[in-house]
Amino acid sequence: MQSSGISVLLKGKNLQRLFEGLMITARIAFISIIIGSLLGIVLGVIWTSKSKWIRSICRIYLELFRIIPILVWLFIMYFGVTTALNIDLSGETVSVIVFTLWGAAEMGDIVRGALESLPKHQIESGKAIGLSFWGLYRYILIPQAVRRMLPGAINLATRMVKTTSLVVLIGVIDVIKVGQQIIEYSRIEVPTASFWVYGFVFILYFVICYPLSKISRKLENKWNG
Amino acid sequence: SSKESASEVKGSIAEIKERGKIRIGVFSDKNPFGYVDENGVNQGFDVYIARRFAKDLLGDESKVEFVLVDAASRVAFLESNKVDIIMANFTVTEERKQKVDFANPYMKVSLGIVSPESAPITSIEQLKGKKAIVAKGTTAETFLTENYPEIEQLKFEQYTEIFEALKDGRGDAIVNDNTEVIAWAKQNPGFVVGVPTLGGQDTIAPAVKKGNKELLDWINNELAALGKENFIHKAYDETLADIYGEDFKESLVIEGGKLE
Amino acid sequence: METKEVLLEIKGLYKKYDETTVLNDINLSINKGEVVVILGPSGCGKSTLLRCLNGLEKIQGGDIRYRNKSLVGKDVNWQEIRQHIGMVFQNYDLFPHMTVIENIILGPVKVQKRDKDEVMEQAKQLLDRVGLFDRKDSYPRQLSGGQKQRIAIVRALCMNPEIMLFDEVTASLDPEMVREVLDVMLGLAKQGMTMVIVTHEMSFARAVADKIVFIDKGRICEISEPDEFFTNPKTERAQHFLNIFQY
Amino acid sequence: METKEVLLEIKGLYKKYDETTVLNDINLSINKGEVVVILGPSGCGKSTLLRCLNGLEKIQGGDIRYRNKSLVGKDVNWQEIRQHIGMVFQNYDLFPHMTVIENIILGPVKVQKRDKDEVMEQAKQLLDRVGLFDRKDSYPRQLSGGQKQRIAIVRALCMNPEIMLFDEVTASLDPEMVREVLDVMLGLAKQGMTMVIVTHEMSFARAVADKIVFIDKGRICEISEPDEFFTNPKTERAQHFLNIFQY
Amino acid sequence: MNLNWQFIIDSLPLYREAALTTLKLGFWGILFSLIIGFVCSIVLYFKVKGLKPIVQAYIELSRNTPLLIQLFFLYFGLTKLGVTLSENACAIIGLSFLGGSYMAEALRSGLEAVSRSQIESGLSIGLSRTQLVRYVVLPQAFSVSMPSLGANCIFLLKETSIVGAIAVVDLMNVTKDLIGMYYQTFEALFMLVAVYLIMILPLSILLTWLERKVRYAEFGN
Ligand SMILES: Nc1ncnc2c1ncn2[C@@H]1O[C@H](COP(=O)(O)OP(=O)(O)OP(=O)(O)O)[C@@H](O)[C@H]1O
Ligand SMILES: Nc1ncnc2c1ncn2[C@@H]1O[C@H](COP(=O)(O)OP(=O)(O)OP(=O)(O)O)[C@@H](O)[C@H]1O
Ligand SMILES: [Mg+2]
Ligand SMILES: [Mg+2]
């Protein structure tokens, strides 16, 4: 009578839809992680400035994203800013923008920490072979900072992947929402659907995030070894 | 220059026609009112009516873009011009009227209370000091908050979750649309609908952005026209009858946009 | 054939950190091919002096002239100057994320824009000379301290500098490693490299120096021939300093 | 009046890491009041030997006897033994989160359960002796390297050990700091403390040692009086080793 | 923008309640996270046989899966197995399950930063294993971990916003609710941000102060 829960996953296009939801999740997360990291590196470099002003501005930027929940940012950006500026951006684009800005803030802090933890004499010996300011960052400081910031960056990346579930509020259907749609649709025929669907989504997240932490551990060992 | 003025008023009929698509905000996880089926297609009572709107306005029922909304973002979607109409099981309330313009209603809701047979709740008064389980963004939530603030509410996002919660004994009863609780009680022995109707006069209606009188009038005319062909009844037969049966048709449907 | 060609000249140099004067009226000239060893108690300003010569510290007074061109003021192109004045530090400062050979060719290729193949050739020759040719693809962490310092020297040499500055390059090494690094420096001295060396290795100083400069509390107390300095220092302070090494 | 009372005796000690033998058939006895200096090239096993004496490394053969009690086997109470055998390391290993005085009294109070006031009294006396009484409430980061090492020595002394082991305690210090630390050790020697010292300071070794032990490649090559060792080493290896320090 | 101040004043009691809930959950979640993290990091650091793989698996699972689903399993799933926990209990367990792994990683890197020579000099003055951990290793590890522990605390406090999914009336839940019922969207969001600010800013300042306080680990040289 009641079909077994697991069959829900295979019914119709359900499986395909879940993967599409996952793709959206992954796309938002990865684009934001990549652009956010690049911006974060720039921000981190600027942040190491000695100027109190620049440091405070960077700090405030970070705290804005630390204190104001991402959900609020999504809301403000999607419903407030785009309307005020009279531009038409899709929910996904807005999500990418918000996540990128958030990623850049946190990444900037990580990069700053990594740069400041580099021994001062690395800078001096770079200077001593005549490297310019940019050369110093390009060849000496950033490559070393990247190694140091890896654990923090991966931590951030997995957090970003997991936080994408908020985008549903601005109409973007991520993998969890697809799961809920399936559960609700089948709630009468298959009351146990939630267990299987959530179980499957749980695994999907793990499949995305686990390789990230695995790679980071590998690289860490390689670079420290 | 007529083109310019057309697109200036966002959500005006001219602009919708120029766009060739009407954007309607619906739920994607409230079976049977607005949900997505196993093939990823929007379905449900609200959706069925929305398709007809598209057909009558733009000549083709595929010329609708369903925007999947969340209870908390329904008004924001309208206010920021991201949808033209909200048809997401939107209960008409005084507070909401200040934010959006409601068209005439197409559905009545009555609330019902379902509880375990072992500890049946037979009147709303009995719930005082107890825990009522409700779904967020539904009429029941608004009703209880307004009228019975002393009843503690346990609020979940999804219908599945409220039923799970009642089964797990996390609350004393579910307050929800009576159609919903009656249908569920039928399939789940051990639970009874102690209060089959409650509240009563709440209605569900399409909403447009405040001030969009043109579209509002169009919807009202459309609902009146549909009333002539008993279209809402047809919508009931197509989308709700399977779950709720024939019994509720008259207590649910509003035809022609007018309460009898 | 060359008579005294002055490469680097320091005139009335004056340096302070905040309120404390660290170098006070330093006058010194370094001739081409000369090896100058700077001695003095800890904190007397030796490192600071070298750092001033390489533009790592701003000075508050006096003048430094390289080939009779002043190195003081805003418009000095230190990037250019540093290609002629190489420096090696105490803490083997190789770049840990690059192999030995990458460390060495970075400056010549990226700063001096020289041809990579030609630089590689030179780097290999230099590595060979310090006995580390086979370690060219190692990473710094795979090397001993002495090896790292020899590479650091090669890295500076590969820029073809006219002067080399060494700041206690053996201070954190074991005796044998100290020896291998100092041997490289002795070799350079023999080839006529102009060098300014800060060291605490007294017998090495004596062996390598053409001129000993003794600094105490930011001032030059004494400039002498090595033999004279070690056997018969002119000032009491120098005498006192040398006593530290006697048990 | 005391004649040779043997405190520590090492018999046929044998130690390897994985497959490589690091110490091979070491035989040595250390008498009460004796200062033994261990010399040898880098990597020969000097540190390992000291670490074995303090139970920081397991040994694979032979015996170590302290006051004729074996220190080999499972049932040795190293916590107890280490109270009698103090050790000071190369990298000023004070605990950075404790003040100087807290560093010093930690062992006596927590391990030896001695009365805190009495320990404080002793600690202050010891601090005074090394000239650091006024730094007793400083944190390690506020001290120079030489000061830190002197505190580390005080920390070990405050446990009232019978033997002190020193592993290159001056290796990362500036000459003057080397001097201040070595002076403390010379003082201890004069008071008759039994010490085993690993050092690269040759003239200090010569001045302080009662006995020089020269190790090469994990074996003892030579045990001599200091004067004899430095002027006329018996083995060629020792000769070769001493040459490193000659320019 | 014109805010409806009357609405804000009316909803103040709701926000006060919710803030207390969030703080309560945050407090217990952080506390248990620290305990779990502490135990796990010790297991990892000392490579305790048998337990290490379990701890590693736990860390990977907890870090790489969303809290939302973890909560559903705790709340709806466990009941099927006969264990019914209250909303708050589930929320606290969920937060601790998530936070434990983050804290463990932070503490582990702190432990690993304590140098071998520190341990040996502890041993050489005769400290026992437990004394060594108590007096030498932990204080230093803690000092190194402090910045990331602090960041985790703030992260966990904010993660409480997810527990609305299992009907806990926290700040985010109240906000979404008010929006859904009255559509005073910006007022509700404004309150949310204001309350978070009031909670997180002092916490952030406290953590910065603590961080500075325990920064003796700028190892001497
Ligand atoms: N960045 C700085 N800020 C303030 N004072 C400094 C700074 N760098 C060095 N000093 C001070 O300047 C003086 C000279 O330092 P310098 O490093 O040149 O001494 P040194 O002769 O090289 O000593 P050592 O033999 O220990 O290397 C010292 O008293 C030192 O404390
Ligand atoms: N933990 C270890 N694992 C493997 N090999 C080791 C280890 N520690 C030391 N060794 C090896 O044991 C040998 C002796 O080391 P030890 O540190 O005792 O030398 P040393 O005489 O103290 O040298 P130095 O003068 O450089 O301090 C060296 O070859 C070293 O590589
Ligand atoms: Mg110096
Ligand atoms: Mg050693």
Side-chain angles (χ1 to χ4, degrees):
Chain A
M1 216 202 92
Q2 284 186 346
S3 29
S4 130
I6 197 163
S7 67
V8 165
L9 294 174
L10 305 171
K11 230 164 147 194
K13 290 189 183 154
N14 283 353
L15 207 54
Q16 184 192 335
R17 288 171 58 213
L18 281 169
F19 278 111
E20 279 164 11
L22 187 72
M23 278 316 294
I24 289 178
T25 296
R27 201 159 59 216
I28 293 174
F30 284 112
I31 295 177
S32 327
I33 288 166
I34 287 163
I35 305 178
S37 301
L38 295 177
L39 289 178
I41 289 177
V42 176
L43 182 72
V45 170
I46 295 172
W47 203 327
T48 54
S49 148
K50 286 189 187 71
S51 149
K52 252 202 144 77
W53 275 103
I54 294 180
R55 295 182 76 95
S56 317
I57 290 170
C58 292
R59 179 82 205 198
I60 289 169
Y61 172 55
L62 172 70
E63 292 299 335
L64 278 180
F65 278 89
R66 284 247 173 100
I67 293 174
I68 300 180
I70 297 303
L71 185 95
V72 175
W73 280 110
L74 288 171
F75 226 96
I76 292 173
M77 282 290 193
Y78 187 64
F79 297 116
V81 174
T82 58
T83 318
L85 301 178
N86 199 16
I87 41 174
D88 203 16
L89 294 178
S90 72
E92 194 175 328
T93 313
V94 170
S95 308
V96 168
I97 292 172
V98 169
F99 276 75
T100 300
L101 290 176
W102 170 38
E106 297 248 16
M107 199 63 167
D109 191 39
I110 294 171
V111 172
R112 176 195 59 83
L115 284 174
E116 285 177 352
S117 77
L118 291 180
K120 188 162 156 268
H121 51 70
Q122 282 286 319
I123 298 176
E124 295 191 338
S125 43
K127 279 187 183 164
I129 59 167
L131 285 173
S132 64
F133 178 82
W134 288 116
L136 206 56
Y137 275 97
R138 161 86 180 71
Y139 300 111
I140 310 298
L141 299 180
I142 295 200
Q144 288 185 59
V146 163
R147 288 155 165 76
R148 287 177 189 227
M149 71 198 202
L150 200 75
I154 296 293
N155 182 328
L156 174 65
T158 53
R159 266 164 55 205
M160 283 172 77
V161 171
K162 290 191 285 176
T163 310
T164 48
S165 60
L166 295 177
V167 298
V168 66
L169 203 82
I170 57 169
V172 183
I173 305 301
D174 77 315
V175 62
I176 291 190
K177 196 71 206 175
V178 174
Q180 287 175 343
Q181 289 173 358
I182 294 174
I183 292 167
E184 287 301 314
Y185 170 64
S186 0
R187 72 194 162 94
I188 291 159
E189 289 131 70
V190 196
T192 57
S194 63
F195 178 79
W196 295 101
V197 173
Y198 281 136
F200 186 64
V201 172
F202 191 77
I203 293 170
L204 287 182
Y205 267 100
F206 189 77
V207 166
I208 287 201
C209 293
Y210 180 67
L212 282 178
S213 41
K214 197 83 196 163
I215 292 169
S216 89
R217 248 171 257 264
K218 274 252 165 68
L219 285 177
E220 230 179 301
N221 287 340
K222 189 179 148 202
W223 285 336
N224 295 340
Chain B
S1 74
S2 72
K3 204 174 172 184
E4 220 185 312
S5 66
S7 39
E8 228 155 64
V9 192
K10 283 217 170 159
S12 69
I13 290 182
E15 196 238 359
I16 293 170
K17 285 194 166 147
E18 189 185 307
R19 204 193 305 134
K21 267 214 151 115
I22 184 163
R23 300 165 308 179
I24 300 184
V26 294
F27 278 142
S28 69
D29 53 4
K30 291 281 182 294
N31 186 1
F33 299 102
Y35 62 95
V36 178
D37 73 10
E38 63 208 3
N39 293 314
V41 182
N42 289 81
Q43 302 289 7
F45 186 65
D46 295 342
V47 172
Y48 191 87
I49 300 170
R51 284 222 167 85
R52 179 62 192 261
F53 282 9
K55 186 172 175 210
D56 292 344
L57 184 66
L58 300 170
D60 185 343
E61 68 167 23
S62 70
K63 287 192 174 164
V64 56
E65 180 187 333
F66 288 114
V67 178
L68 308 183
V69 300
D70 183 276
S73 58
R74 284 181 289 198
V75 165
F77 269 101
L78 270 186
E79 285 187 327
S80 60
N81 278 316
K82 296 206 182 318
V83 298
D84 302 310
I85 308 175
I86 284 285
M87 292 185 71
N89 213 264
F90 210 9
T91 313
V92 182
T93 67
E94 281 309 312
E95 287 89 359
R96 290 171 182 179
K97 277 184 190 164
Q98 291 166 12
K99 292 278 168 183
V100 298
D101 283 342
F102 282 104
N104 290 333
Y106 58 89
M107 184 174 134
K108 286 181 284 216
V109 263
S110 250
L111 301 178
I113 302 179
V114 63
S115 48
E117 252 168 8
S118 49
I121 301 287
T122 51
S123 86
I124 182 84
E125 305 298 324
Q126 248 178 298
L127 266 179
K128 286 185 183 167
K130 293 195 172 143
K131 262 190 203 167
I133 301 173
V134 299
K136 271 192 192 169
T138 60
T139 321
E141 185 192 17
T142 331
F143 174 79
L144 288 182
T145 309
E146 302 271 276
N147 302 308
Y148 295 93
E150 66 276 30
I151 298 176
E152 195 189 334
Q153 296 176 48
L154 205 54
K155 302 175 182 180
F156 295 93
E157 300 270 357
Q158 309 289 340
Y159 281 172
T160 332
E161 290 160 15
I162 60 176
F163 294 124
E164 281 294 301
L166 184 66
K167 280 191 197 160
D168 294 349
R170 300 211 175 258
D172 299 289
I174 291 176
V175 183
N176 203 346
D177 297 354
N178 58 358
T179 46
E180 193 64 35
V181 296
I182 290 167
W184 184 76
K186 261 188 215 162
Q187 302 199 337
N188 289 270
F191 293 93
V192 288
V193 179
V195 182
T197 54
L198 180 71
Q201 281 316 302
D202 277 319
T203 56
I204 303 282
V208 299
K209 189 177 180 186
K210 199 137 199 65
N212 192 351
K213 186 146 186 340
E214 192 193 10
L215 188 57
L216 192 74
D217 290 344
W218 183 87
I219 295 173
N220 286 338
N221 291 336
E222 168 78 1
L223 282 173
L226 291 178
K228 303 218 168 77
E229 51 178 281
N230 258 354
F231 179 79
I232 309 292
H233 283 84
K234 186 159 172 254
Y236 185 99
D237 295 336
E238 292 290 325
T239 57
L240 303 182
D242 273 356
I243 299 176
Y244 299 146
E246 288 295 314
D247 305 349
F248 287 101
K249 199 187 276 179
E250 289 317 317
S251 61
L252 211 146
V253 164
I254 298 177
E255 202 65 78
K258 290 202 179 53
L259 270 173
E260 303 293 287
Chain C
M1 302 302 105
E2 279 186 333
T3 48
K4 288 195 174 174
E5 185 194 348
V6 178
L7 269 190
L8 206 57
E9 202 173 7
I10 305 161
K11 285 187 194 158
L13 186 151
Y14 186 81
K15 158 86 198 163
K16 49 183 198 169
Y17 286 116
D18 306 321
E19 288 309 288
T20 45
T21 303
V22 176
L23 291 174
N24 202 337
D25 193 26
I26 301 287
N27 291 287
L28 182 65
S29 65
I30 293 147
N31 301 326
K32 193 166 169 66
E34 196 176 28
V35 176
V36 176
V37 171
I38 300 179
L39 300 178
S42 177
C44 71
K46 307 179 294 292
S47 301
T48 308
L49 177 57
L50 288 204
R51 294 161 59 81
C52 291
L53 299 184
N54 204 18
L56 293 172
E57 303 284 352
K58 286 211 189 84
I59 66 174
Q60 275 74 43
D63 197 6
I64 303 173
R65 305 185 78 83
Y66 167 70
R67 288 192 168 279
N68 219 6
K69 219 179 80 193
S70 173
L71 302 185
V72 177
K74 287 248 163 191
D75 48 342
V76 179
N77 182 351
W78 276 108
Q79 259 169 270
E80 158 71 20
I81 302 296
R82 287 183 186 132
Q83 296 173 31
H84 306 296
I85 307 182
M87 182 156 179
V88 184
F89 302 83
Q90 168 174 351
N91 313 299
Y92 1 94
D93 290 324
L94 297 182
F95 306 127
H97 60 296
M98 298 179 177
T99 61
V100 164
I101 193 81
E102 286 167 354
N103 261 282
I104 298 172
I105 67 173
L106 179 68
V109 172
K110 297 294 174 188
V111 178
Q112 299 183 322
K113 313 280 182 209
R114 280 158 57 194
D115 177 60
K116 191 169 169 184
D117 291 339
E118 174 239 329
V119 175
M120 283 290 262
E121 205 42 53
Q122 185 190 1
K124 284 177 191 162
Q125 273 172 26
L126 287 168
L127 278 174
D128 204 32
R129 229 165 75 191
V130 301
L132 289 170
F133 180 75
D134 54 334
R135 305 313 298 267
K136 70 181 194 310
D137 295 315
S138 306
Y139 279 92
R141 61 169 181 273
Q142 299 165 321
L143 304 177
S144 75
Q147 291 173 326
K148 278 187 261 195
Q149 281 302 47
R150 283 182 280 162
I151 302 290
I153 295 175
V154 167
R155 183 173 69 182
L157 285 177
C158 203
M159 310 274 292
N160 298 320
E162 266 197 309
I163 309 179
M164 289 279 287
L165 313 176
F166 295 90
D167 189 5
E168 300 190 37
V169 290
T170 60
S172 29
L173 299 179
D174 279 344
E176 288 142 303
M177 298 183 186
V178 168
R179 185 64 201 230
E180 58 193 37
V181 173
L182 295 185
D183 279 348
V184 169
M185 289 164 71
L186 280 168
L188 285 176
K190 273 203 198 102
Q191 287 162 35
M193 173 62 80
T194 315
M195 303 198 280
V196 183
I197 300 172
V198 171
T199 185
H200 286 308
E201 300 289 331
M202 292 302 137
S203 39
F204 168 71
R206 191 168 179 172
V208 80
D210 294 320
K211 187 152 98 189
I212 300 272
V213 177
F214 177 71
I215 301 186
D216 192 17
K217 297 193 180 131
R219 283 178 181 280
I220 294 184
C221 295
E222 183 167 348
I223 303 185
S224 314
E225 298 278 301
D227 284 337
E228 193 192 332
F229 180 81
F230 285 102
T231 51
N232 193 13
K234 279 177 257 172
T235 58
E236 207 181 309
R237 287 188 190 169
Q239 179 59 55
H240 183 81
F241 173 74
L242 289 172
N243 272 342
I244 293 175
F245 302 88
Q246 235 63 45
Y247 290 88
Chain D
M1 302 302 104
E2 278 187 336
T3 49
K4 286 194 174 178
E5 183 192 350
V6 178
L7 270 191
L8 207 56
E9 200 171 9
I10 305 161
K11 286 187 194 158
L13 186 153
Y14 187 80
K15 158 87 198 162
K16 50 184 196 169
Y17 286 116
D18 304 323
E19 289 309 287
T20 44
T21 303
V22 176
L23 291 173
N24 202 340
D25 192 26
I26 302 288
N27 291 287
L28 183 64
S29 65
I30 294 148
N31 302 325
K32 192 166 170 64
E34 197 177 28
V35 177
V36 176
V37 171
I38 300 178
L39 300 178
S42 177
C44 71
K46 307 180 293 294
S47 300
T48 309
L49 177 57
L50 287 204
R51 293 162 58 80
C52 291
L53 298 184
N54 204 18
L56 294 171
E57 303 283 353
K58 285 209 189 85
I59 66 174
Q60 275 73 43
D63 196 5
I64 303 173
R65 305 186 79 82
Y66 167 69
R67 287 191 167 280
N68 219 6
K69 219 179 83 192
S70 173
L71 301 186
V72 176
K74 287 248 167 195
D75 48 344
V76 179
N77 182 353
W78 275 109
Q79 254 170 274
E80 157 72 19
I81 301 295
R82 287 184 187 129
Q83 296 173 30
H84 306 298
I85 307 182
M87 182 155 178
V88 183
F89 302 83
Q90 168 174 349
N91 312 301
Y92 3 92
D93 288 322
L94 297 182
F95 305 127
H97 57 296
M98 299 178 178
T99 61
V100 163
I101 193 82
E102 285 167 356
N103 261 283
I104 297 172
I105 66 173
L106 179 68
V109 173
K110 298 292 174 192
V111 178
Q112 300 182 322
K113 313 280 182 210
R114 280 158 57 195
D115 177 61
K116 191 168 169 188
D117 291 338
E118 175 241 328
V119 175
M120 283 289 261
E121 205 42 54
Q122 186 189 1
K124 284 177 191 163
Q125 273 172 25
L126 287 168
L127 278 174
D128 204 32
R129 229 165 76 191
V130 301
L132 289 172
F133 179 76
D134 53 336
R135 305 315 297 268
K136 70 181 195 308
D137 295 315
S138 305
Y139 280 93
R141 62 167 182 276
Q142 300 165 321
L143 303 177
S144 76
Q147 292 173 327
K148 278 187 262 194
Q149 280 303 45
R150 284 182 281 163
I151 303 290
I153 294 174
V154 168
R155 184 174 66 180
L157 286 177
C158 202
M159 309 274 293
N160 298 321
E162 265 198 311
I163 309 181
M164 288 278 287
L165 313 176
F166 295 90
D167 189 6
E168 299 191 37
V169 288
T170 60
S172 28
L173 300 179
D174 279 343
E176 287 142 303
M177 300 184 184
V178 170
R179 184 66 202 228
E180 54 192 43
V181 174
L182 295 185
D183 280 347
V184 170
M185 290 164 70
L186 280 167
L188 286 176
K190 275 206 199 98
Q191 287 161 36
M193 173 61 81
T194 316
M195 304 198 278
V196 183
I197 300 172
V198 171
T199 184
H200 286 309
E201 300 289 332
M202 290 303 138
S203 40
F204 167 70
R206 191 167 178 172
V208 80
D210 294 319
K211 188 153 96 187
I212 299 272
V213 177
F214 178 70
I215 300 185
D216 193 16
K217 296 191 180 134
R219 284 176 180 281
I220 294 184
C221 295
E222 184 167 346
I223 302 185
S224 313
E225 298 279 301
D227 282 339
E228 191 192 332
F229 180 80
F230 284 102
T231 51
N232 193 12
K234 280 178 255 175
T235 58
E236 206 181 308
R237 286 188 192 169
Q239 178 61 57
H240 182 81
F241 174 74
L242 287 172
N243 271 342
I244 293 174
F245 301 89
Q246 236 61 48
Y247 292 86
Chain E
M1 189 183 308
N2 275 329
L3 291 180
N4 181 344
W5 290 103
Q6 190 54 48
F7 177 82
I8 290 181
I9 291 166
D10 289 345
S11 57
L12 271 178
L14 277 178
Y15 274 98
R16 214 198 54 216
E17 277 298 299
L20 286 179
T21 305
T22 294
L23 277 180
K24 198 172 75 187
L25 297 182
F27 173 79
W28 290 111
I30 289 169
L31 185 71
F32 289 127
S33 295
L34 280 171
I35 295 172
I36 295 173
F38 177 71
V39 173
C40 290
S41 63
I42 293 282
V43 167
L44 291 181
Y45 182 67
F46 289 106
K47 306 196 166 63
V48 179
K49 281 204 194 77
L51 290 180
K52 194 178 165 218
I54 298 175
V55 167
Q56 275 171 331
Y58 154 67
I59 288 178
E60 294 300 346
L61 199 67
S62 128
R63 284 169 52 108
N64 295 318
T65 54
L67 178 58
L68 181 70
I69 300 185
Q70 292 168 10
L71 286 175
F72 281 142
F73 282 133
L74 278 174
Y75 190 74
F76 295 114
L78 272 190
T79 333
K80 309 287 173 292
L81 304 176
V83 186
T84 301
L85 297 167
S86 74
E87 289 78 31
N88 284 346
C90 284
I92 291 170
I93 294 174
L95 280 172
S96 315
F97 181 80
L98 175 80
S101 65
Y102 281 85
M103 297 294 188
E105 289 285 279
L107 283 168
R108 185 185 59 100
S109 58
L111 285 171
E112 276 167 9
V114 179
S115 67
R116 181 97 209 119
S117 61
Q118 281 288 317
I119 292 170
E120 290 186 344
S121 54
L123 286 176
S124 77
I125 58 167
L127 293 177
S128 67
R129 283 254 149 209
T130 39
Q131 283 176 326
L132 191 67
V133 172
R134 158 95 176 67
Y135 297 113
V136 177
V137 178
L138 282 184
Q140 292 181 44
F142 188 65
S143 146
V144 175
S145 310
M146 196 53 215
S148 25
L149 290 178
N152 287 346
C153 287
I154 292 179
F155 161 65
L156 282 177
L157 193 62
K158 281 183 69 188
E159 278 292 296
T160 53
S161 60
I162 288 181
V163 300
I166 55 167
V168 177
V169 189
D170 76 313
L171 282 169
M172 183 65 79
N173 199 353
V174 160
T175 307
K176 276 179 143 182
D177 235 39
L178 288 178
I179 296 176
M181 276 188 299
Y182 306 111
Y183 291 103
Q184 303 284 346
T185 309
F186 286 97
E187 288 78 0
L189 291 180
F190 170 80
M191 287 297 289
L192 176 70
V193 171
V195 179
Y196 267 118
L197 197 75
I198 293 170
M199 290 189 327
I200 294 179
L201 216 53
L203 179 66
S204 176
I205 291 168
L206 175 81
L207 288 170
T208 315
W209 175 81
L210 248 179
E211 212 173 288
R212 220 170 272 147
K213 189 112 210 275
V214 298
R215 206 183 291 158
Y216 33 65
E218 276 169 14
F219 294 86
N221 23 24

